[in-house]
Amino acid sequence: MNAIGLQVPMNDLKRRIAPLRGELDAAIGQILSRGSFILGESCAAFESAFAAYCGTRHCVGVANGTDALELALLALGIGAGARVGTVANAGMYSTTAILAAGARPVYIDVDPETLLMAAAKLEDAGPLDAVIVTHLYGQMADMPALIAAAGGKPVIEDCAQAHGAALGGRRAGSWGRLGAFSFYPTKNLGALGDGGAVTTDDADVAARLRQLRQYGWSRRYHAELPRGRNSRLDDMQAAALLVMLPHLDRWNERRRAIARAYAEALKSNRLAFTARERGPAYVGHLCVLRAAERDWVREGLARRGIASDIHYPTPDYRQPAVVSVLGAGRELPETEAATREILTLPCFPELADTEVEAVAAALRGIDGA
């Protein structure tokens, strides 16, 4: 327990919903009155609003973030026999999508400072058909360098942890050929359940995505594209996202402020945060530090009433489900080192100042111990 008796959680979605309850009730009431729940007015309105927010011409709502990645691959014709570059330290989501599309993941090691895909390692990966770049923990990857390293192959941004992040004045989801988003409730822009979207400037790709998300139909009950499925963002979730979208930039700034407060609490080199950028390219989806003595640090936080987590404990190529399909893969040294040292601290916009200070005080105590 900390000095003021607080228990600081990793997240608390009730705090996000409470001040928006009236707006959410009204928005959902409109859906109920219209009686249109799938691909209706709210879905179209959110797709338009989110495309404008991201700075892209098109946004296609889908059922979840993993479907967004898979359908992005399929819309580009990436399937059986294709090799897709990705990282192995981002929770299996890109790997799941690549395998579901029938392609093969090719794992690229990460930069030891940011834990994002290293452009130099991508250049050395051999022939690839596409690349999925994950903006991990809310920090945008070096898109100009990675697009150059991809050598003309299509780049898909995995933006599930980077809603609203911007690099060089361009938001996440507008740099690659496509951007894939998750609206899982704990995301920076989270729905009241599952949801996802794909952004793109390519009208033909957007048209294929709209077919693929609904059975491959070119018209009702006429399935034209193979590999189509039922993957639609329903109007209830779209209506909730429309309520939340205007708050996103303010929420992101609060996340940055929390991350800055934590970073300022550290005086030695025993603990280090993975995100060095605290400006627009970082939106603080997760506040992750590295500690050689991670278990000792985690125990110290727990004694002070501070929750923590590990994002993510196992490289994708070590997951049994992947080994059973691909066999044992080569180890990536920076990825391996990171999974032994990373630790996630509470960082959500509704944290009270007293809770932020409790975490900072705990870090000061552990850092100076």
Side-chain angles (χ1 to χ4, degrees):
M1 185 72 66
N2 51 65
I4 57 176
L6 284 175
Q7 294 286 331
V8 184
M10 279 299 298
N11 212 325
D12 184 353
L13 292 174
K14 297 188 297 296
R15 301 188 199 183
R16 172 175 289 189
I17 296 304
L20 301 176
R21 184 62 186 271
E23 291 180 82
L24 289 168
D25 286 350
I28 291 171
Q30 289 180 350
I31 302 295
L32 296 176
S33 296
R34 285 199 296 263
S36 176
F37 305 109
I38 301 293
L39 298 183
E41 292 178 31
S42 292
C43 182
F46 174 72
E47 288 176 335
S48 177
F50 196 63
Y53 178 84
C54 293
T56 60
R57 292 187 177 90
H58 305 279
C59 169
V60 179
V62 297
N64 55 69
T66 309
D67 277 6
L69 287 169
E70 183 190 348
L71 293 177
L73 290 166
L74 294 176
L76 294 176
I78 304 296
R83 289 164 46 89
V84 181
T86 189
V87 293
N89 67 326
M92 271 288 292
Y93 308 113
S94 63
T95 293
T96 299
I98 292 165
L99 291 174
R104 182 183 183 90
V106 177
Y107 295 113
I108 313 299
D109 211 354
V110 296
D111 179 277
E113 293 279 320
T114 63
L115 304 188
L116 301 169
M117 183 182 286
K121 299 295 184 181
L122 177 59
E123 290 176 345
D124 296 337
L128 297 172
D129 297 287
V131 179
I132 294 177
V133 174
T134 299
H135 302 311
L136 191 63
Y137 307 146
Q139 181 171 239
M140 282 195 70
D142 185 349
M143 291 307 298
L146 289 164
I147 289 171
K153 299 300 182 182
V155 173
I156 298 168
E157 295 176 75
D158 177 358
C159 307
Q161 301 185 11
H163 311 69
L167 180 68
R170 293 174 58 181
R171 292 197 192 274
S174 69
W175 280 89
R177 183 82 178 277
L178 305 100
F181 289 84
S182 167
F183 302 122
Y184 185 77
T186 59
K187 302 300 186 185
N188 293 48
L189 181 64
L192 304 181
D194 275 321
V198 183
T199 54
T200 184
D201 281 333
D202 190 317
D204 291 335
V205 169
R208 287 196 292 275
L209 284 164
R210 292 189 179 96
Q211 286 186 253
L212 288 166
R213 73 174 174 183
Q214 187 160 244
Y215 313 113
W217 285 353
S218 57
R219 62 180 186 275
R220 190 172 175 82
Y221 302 133
H222 183 79
E224 179 180 88
L225 289 185
R227 304 296 299 274
R229 83 278 311 282
N230 179 356
S231 180
R232 299 170 298 205
L233 177 67
D234 70 71
D235 274 46
M236 290 286 196
Q237 302 305 334
L241 290 166
L242 277 168
V243 169
M244 295 183 189
L245 182 58
H247 301 277
L248 177 57
D249 289 343
R250 175 174 58 83
W251 288 340
N252 285 344
E253 186 50 47
R254 174 61 175 168
R255 288 175 181 269
R256 291 187 194 100
I258 292 169
R260 283 195 295 269
Y262 294 167
E264 290 167 2
L266 303 183
K267 301 300 181 185
S268 76
N269 294 321
R270 298 180 67 187
L271 308 176
F273 286 96
T274 58
R276 306 304 170 89
E277 164 66 51
R278 300 293 192 279
Y282 175 64
V283 291
H285 173 66
L286 296 172
C287 188
V288 177
L289 57 78
R290 293 186 70 163
E293 300 173 288
R294 178 177 64 191
D295 292 344
W296 175 77
V297 173
R298 195 173 193 191
E299 289 166 6
L301 291 169
R303 286 196 302 272
R304 294 165 170 87
I306 312 299
S308 63
D309 207 339
I310 300 172
H311 294 89
Y312 299 92
T314 306
D316 292 9
Y317 51 75
R318 289 189 179 276
Q319 295 282 4
V322 176
V323 173
S324 68
V325 174
L326 302 180
R330 64 187 182 95
E331 293 185 3
L332 303 177
E334 299 298 346
T335 298
E336 293 285 335
T339 55
R340 293 191 295 267
E341 297 178 357
I342 50 174
L343 186 65
T344 307
L345 302 175
C347 185
F348 60 98
E350 298 78 22
L351 276 173
D353 289 345
T354 51
E355 292 174 312
V356 174
E357 175 51 33
V359 178
L363 291 173
R364 284 193 292 269
I366 293 168
D367 195 35

